[in-house]
Amino acid sequence: MTSHEAKDTPPKGTNTSNRSVREEEGASKRNYIRWDAEGVEKIPPNEAEDIQAGLVKGKLVVLDDLPKHLKQSLFEHGGEYPVVARYSSEPGDPGLDDRIPQPRGFAMKIFNVDGEMFDGGKDVPTHDMEFNSTPALELADAKTTREIHGLRINYGGNQTELYKRLEARDDTELQKARDAVRNTHLESTRLYSQTAYRFGDYVAKYCLVPSSETQKKLYDETVKPDQHESDILSQWLSNFYSSHDAEYLLQFQLCENLEDQPVEYAGKIWDSEKYPWQTVAKLEIPKQDSFNYELKSFWEDHMRLDPWHGLKSMQPLGSPNRLRRGVYPASSALRRKMNGRPEMTIRSIDEIPRKRTSTSRAYSRLMMQKLTSNKANTILDAAAKGKYGVPAMCVVSSKAHRHAPQNPNNQTYPNQSQYNLEGAIATLRAAEAKNSPAMLLLFPWAITYASSHLAALCASICASARVPITLHMDHAQTPEIVRQAADLGLFHSIMVDMSHYEKDENLRLTKELTEYCHERGIATEAEPGRINGGEDGVIDTAELEGILTDADEARRFVDTGIDWLAPAFGNVHGSYGERGVQLEYDRLESIDAAVGGDDGVRLVAHGTDPFDKEIYTKLMKAGITKVNINKVVNRKYMDLQKEGQYGLTELMEKGTELMQKELEALMDMLGSSGKA
């Protein structure tokens, strides 16, 4: 058996509820090493986000008749514990998909546990357990981790050179084995802890063994790259849980010989013939929707798994686990900061969303409490305090945008700008160059045309930026599109634009949809009046007179729970025409006095294309914090396109440079430069 192979059939010596007395007596008499014995860990001086395939809920059932040596820690007594679990692929090259063999992961959070906890999880009755489809860890200790990370950083883009470097190592077989794993059903794959853990008085590794007949049969089927889609494993998992229950045996392999079963080095498989796996519990997962988007978004945005937050009696042991103790919280903190999503302390499984179509009260309560930590709200709160504006760049729309409801003439707007990746890249580069916060704005066309793909692209740009940038859905004009955008889990904020409805219906829908967004941690913007003119996806309202926003109307909209208000104060979507720019600053100041301020809503300016620095300065003084940017930047690129003298890639590069230059100038005018 090679260093990375393991038998997939249940090993000899496995303890189940009907194990023989002879087997039990033999296992009880073995010489198991205590977790705190000399030599278990040898700590040297100066020792230095997964791709989800499915999420499920179930229960861990501890067996009642365990022998004394297995009655350790969580398994001291028989009983049941609620569990939420995640199937995933290891983080790595974003280009990898399910058709490419790589290690698969599984992790579960166990609720209602009792015992002494590490400080990180003090007073939180949960314990986390992590598994991998490979029994040995290629990052076997701190030294190996540093070396392999260095190779993958330097040669990750050149597989031939990377393999050449790996071939020169003493642990070549271990390092290359991750690329040769069996690519089969996630629910049928045996899973391992890889590293050692304290097991009450002793030291052990653990594993999960699929035990239902259906799961065992599915192991025979493997992914065929030329026949299957890129998310085939997620599809298989969803199909399985739609009609089947899953069952696993949770087994422990106790340490008896530190030479044969090293703890510090996680690259060696412990021989299961000499040191048998023994069953302590069953994991039972009933049929359910394994790709519940609400649950998926909640997990990605607010939860993390960390064995160092759990029971001290199941302490992670060895060099790799000590590294994780520092890496896990740092990685989680960075992800929360960049995504603008707060981490939540979940004490009960009831606080986690159950279904896609409804949200638990506990979940709603938590989301409302944490909405002040929404990344977009944080950006605009800082702008209000600093009296500057945040540029919100329109980056993806269409020339002839679909019309909104109640448009009797079925009109479209044929002369509107067309936006693309270049605008998003220009915003990123300008924001980083000017050290300015910013927002990327998408119109509904972005998801009616491309589902989640364009939004996911922009969300990744926001997450990778060195400065705060958020993703906003602008002018979502139907309840359906608002909910669809919210359910994607990609937007930090959404404009609930029901301004084309009569006022009472506008208020009712705005309140209803704001609650829907808030339950998902998403900030909302609303437009109480009718800002005149036509913009991509915005109905061309008929008359300016009589549709401006006043303080009383602003208060009514704020009562719906919105976070940002886009008042009508003489501003116009699209062209201002012969009338020119005529803004009512007094009106805007009265609205800010009524609903703005430190504890109020943030004000948004639409229709700012022809504005200059003097106007922007007056807007900031009157309470505006978010400034929507459209043609004033995009027009530069469109003019370049009309010249027709550049190839596609050169056109994109030059267009991006032009837009970046315009955005940097706008950031200076808005006062956001240097404020990130």
Side-chain angles (χ1 to χ4, degrees):
M1 185 168 62
T2 67
S3 64
H4 226 70
E5 290 176 343
K7 294 183 177 181
D8 292 300
T9 55
K12 295 179 181 179
T14 293
N15 286 105
T16 59
S17 57
N18 61 349
R19 59 189 166 268
S20 70
V21 175
R22 179 176 297 178
E23 287 177 327
E24 183 175 309
E25 289 178 349
S28 298
K29 293 178 180 179
R30 298 172 77 106
N31 184 27
Y32 302 118
I33 294 176
R34 283 188 56 86
W35 75 275
D36 54 356
E38 183 178 353
V40 169
E41 290 191 290
K42 300 176 182 178
I43 305 176
N46 302 319
E47 180 179 81
E49 203 70 42
D50 297 348
I51 303 171
Q52 294 192 31
L55 288 153
V56 291
K57 292 183 179 182
K59 62 181 179 180
L60 185 68
V61 182
V62 178
L63 303 183
D64 290 322
D65 57 347
L66 293 176
K68 183 178 180 180
H69 70 284
L70 295 180
K71 289 186 175 182
Q72 305 291 328
S73 183
L74 181 64
F75 311 96
E76 186 175 356
H77 305 288
E80 298 183 358
Y81 298 90
V83 165
V84 61
R86 175 192 64 188
Y87 292 88
S88 65
S89 294
E90 285 192 343
D93 184 347
L96 295 180
D97 60 38
D98 290 352
R99 294 168 294 192
I100 301 174
Q102 60 175 318
R104 310 301 178 187
F106 183 89
M108 63 180 178
K109 185 177 287 288
I110 308 168
F111 294 88
N112 303 343
V113 303
D114 185 28
E116 186 179 4
M117 313 292 285
F118 286 104
D119 289 343
K122 190 177 181 181
D123 302 324
V124 181
T126 63
H127 183 81
D128 299 339
M129 299 182 75
E130 296 181 306
F131 303 81
N132 193 281
S133 59
T134 56
L137 180 62
E138 77 274 12
L139 304 178
D141 55 22
K143 178 176 179 293
T144 305
T145 299
R146 288 192 291 269
E147 293 172 353
I148 296 302
H149 276 176
L151 288 177
R152 293 192 179 275
I153 289 172
N154 291 328
Y155 306 107
N158 187 337
Q159 195 77 350
T160 301
E161 185 63 26
L162 176 62
Y163 265 54
K164 179 181 176 181
R165 302 279 174 166
L166 294 177
E167 289 282 3
R169 294 180 57 86
D170 293 336
D171 61 351
T172 300
E173 189 177 343
L174 174 66
Q175 298 305 327
K176 293 173 65 176
R178 62 174 286 119
D179 299 322
V181 296
R182 183 179 179 84
N183 206 9
T184 185
H185 287 255
L186 297 174
E187 67 277 11
S188 70
T189 301
R190 188 167 180 168
L191 301 154
Y192 304 86
S193 66
Q194 297 185 311
T195 58
Y197 290 78
R198 179 181 173 184
F199 181 56
D201 292 335
Y202 306 116
V203 177
K205 291 185 178 181
Y206 51 75
C207 75
L208 280 173
V209 182
S211 56
S212 77
E213 291 304 314
T214 303
Q215 288 169 274
K216 293 177 184 178
K217 290 178 182 177
L218 290 173
Y219 186 78
D220 294 333
E221 185 176 16
T222 57
V223 174
K224 296 178 176 58
D226 58 339
Q227 298 179 21
H228 291 133
E229 297 179 358
S230 61
D231 63 344
I232 184 60
L233 295 182
S234 181
Q235 292 181 34
W236 278 352
L237 189 72
S238 179
N239 291 339
F240 171 82
Y241 274 113
S242 68
S243 55
H244 296 93
D245 299 339
E247 182 179 280
Y248 295 86
L249 301 179
L250 177 60
Q251 301 179 337
F252 281 77
Q253 184 183 29
L254 276 69
C255 183
E256 304 177 49
N257 185 321
L258 286 173
E259 293 296 322
D260 281 353
Q261 301 170 278
V263 172
E264 280 297 297
Y265 182 77
K268 182 179 180 180
I269 297 174
W270 294 359
D271 190 340
S272 62
E273 295 290 338
K274 294 173 65 176
Y275 312 107
W277 292 99
Q278 304 176 62
T279 301
V280 300
K282 293 181 180 180
L283 176 61
E284 299 176 357
I285 305 173
K287 61 183 179 182
Q288 58 192 277
D289 179 4
S290 69
F291 204 80
N292 181 327
Y293 209 99
E294 185 174 309
L295 176 55
K296 177 180 182 292
S297 297
F298 183 87
W299 185 297
E300 291 175 343
D301 288 346
H302 305 290
M303 293 177 65
R304 74 175 167 104
L305 287 162
D306 189 345
W308 287 100
H309 272 201
L311 293 163
K312 285 188 174 182
S313 57
M314 293 184 69
Q315 174 182 326
L317 300 174
S319 176
N321 280 323
R322 291 195 299 275
L323 286 176
R324 291 168 177 171
R325 189 170 195 176
V327 170
Y328 278 23
S331 174
S332 177
L334 178 62
R335 185 166 65 253
R336 310 299 170 205
K337 178 181 178 180
M338 298 310 295
N339 292 344
R341 299 291 195 264
E343 185 174 305
M344 293 183 178
T345 301
I346 305 301
R347 292 177 171 81
S348 167
I349 198 169
D350 293 331
E351 294 177 349
I352 299 175
R354 295 175 180 271
K355 298 179 180 179
R356 188 176 310 178
T357 55
S358 65
T359 307
S360 68
R361 291 181 180 177
Y363 175 57
S364 300
R365 172 177 53 79
L366 285 168
M367 293 307 298
M368 292 298 290
Q369 289 174 349
K370 297 295 184 178
L371 196 62
T372 53
S373 297
N374 173 283
K375 187 177 180 181
N377 277 341
T378 301
I379 289 174
L380 293 190
D381 286 346
K385 185 176 180 180
K387 299 297 181 183
Y388 58 86
V390 175
M393 175 66 179
C394 303
V395 296
V396 175
S397 186
S398 68
K399 282 187 177 180
H401 201 287
R402 67 173 183 81
H403 63 276
Q406 296 190 1
N407 182 355
N409 298 321
N410 198 29
Q411 68 222 48
T412 58
Y413 308 100
N415 298 316
Q416 303 305 322
S417 301
Q418 185 172 11
Y419 325 126
N420 42 35
L421 170 65
E422 295 92 295
I425 297 299
T427 304
L428 169 68
R429 292 178 179 175
E432 291 186 338
K434 285 295 184 177
N435 195 32
S436 169
M439 295 183 178
L440 300 181
L441 269 59
L442 303 185
F443 285 92
W445 175 85
I447 56 178
T448 57
Y449 165 69
S451 185
S452 64
H453 302 302
L454 291 175
L457 172 66
C458 289
S460 71
I461 290 173
C462 294
S464 66
R466 296 193 300 270
V467 294
I469 302 180
T470 61
L471 183 60
H472 176 77
M473 169 59 72
D474 205 29
H475 291 292
Q477 292 190 302
T478 68
E480 293 76 21
I481 201 69
V482 171
R483 294 190 180 96
Q484 185 180 353
D487 287 344
L488 288 178
L490 298 170
F491 291 94
H492 299 90
S493 54
I494 295 174
M495 183 181 183
V496 179
D497 182 7
M498 303 291 117
S499 61
H500 45 281
Y501 288 95
E502 293 303 321
K503 196 145 294 181
D504 288 345
E505 184 67 359
N506 184 353
L507 287 164
R508 185 190 70 80
L509 287 172
T510 299
K511 183 177 188 298
E512 175 186 310
L513 294 169
T514 291
E515 290 174 354
Y516 191 88
C517 291
H518 280 182
E519 287 169 353
R520 288 149 183 80
I522 300 169
T524 58
E525 173 185 339
E527 185 175 297
R530 290 196 178 105
I531 298 176
N532 194 36
E535 187 180 32
D536 290 357
V538 182
I539 290 175
D540 193 351
T541 50
E543 296 286 344
L544 179 61
E545 193 66 34
I547 58 175
L548 300 180
T549 307
D550 59 31
D552 289 338
E553 185 180 34
R555 291 189 189 95
R556 292 181 68 191
F557 271 84
V558 169
D559 287 344
T560 65
I562 59 169
D563 303 278
W564 314 338
L565 188 78
F569 57 97
N571 47 330
V572 175
H573 284 133
S575 174
Y576 280 78
E578 295 181 1
R579 181 176 180 275
V581 179
Q582 297 182 26
L583 305 180
E584 298 187 20
Y585 297 106
D586 291 344
R587 179 184 295 272
L588 186 58
E589 289 173 357
S590 69
I591 292 170
D592 183 53
V595 299
D598 292 342
D599 299 322
V601 299
R602 301 294 160 237
L603 300 186
V604 179
H606 289 237
T608 69
D609 283 331
F611 294 179
D612 56 22
K613 185 175 181 179
E614 180 182 357
I615 293 177
Y616 283 132
T617 300
K618 291 179 179 179
L619 293 182
M620 305 312 117
K621 183 180 179 181
I624 292 294
T625 56
K626 173 174 173 275
V627 178
N628 286 14
I629 307 297
N630 197 322
K631 296 180 186 63
V632 67
V633 171
N634 288 303
R635 189 180 294 116
K636 298 289 183 180
Y637 189 15
M638 294 181 71
D639 291 342
L640 186 70
Q641 290 175 335
K642 293 175 183 177
E643 295 179 13
Q645 58 179 312
Y646 300 107
L648 180 59
T649 55
E650 187 178 7
L651 176 67
M652 293 172 67
E653 291 171 353
K654 288 185 177 294
T656 301
E657 291 173 4
L658 284 173
M659 288 190 288
Q660 178 183 345
K661 184 178 179 180
E662 287 295 317
L663 280 165
E664 289 183 16
L666 277 166
M667 289 169 180
D668 289 340
M669 283 194 287
L670 295 176
S672 65
S673 297
K675 299 300 197 312

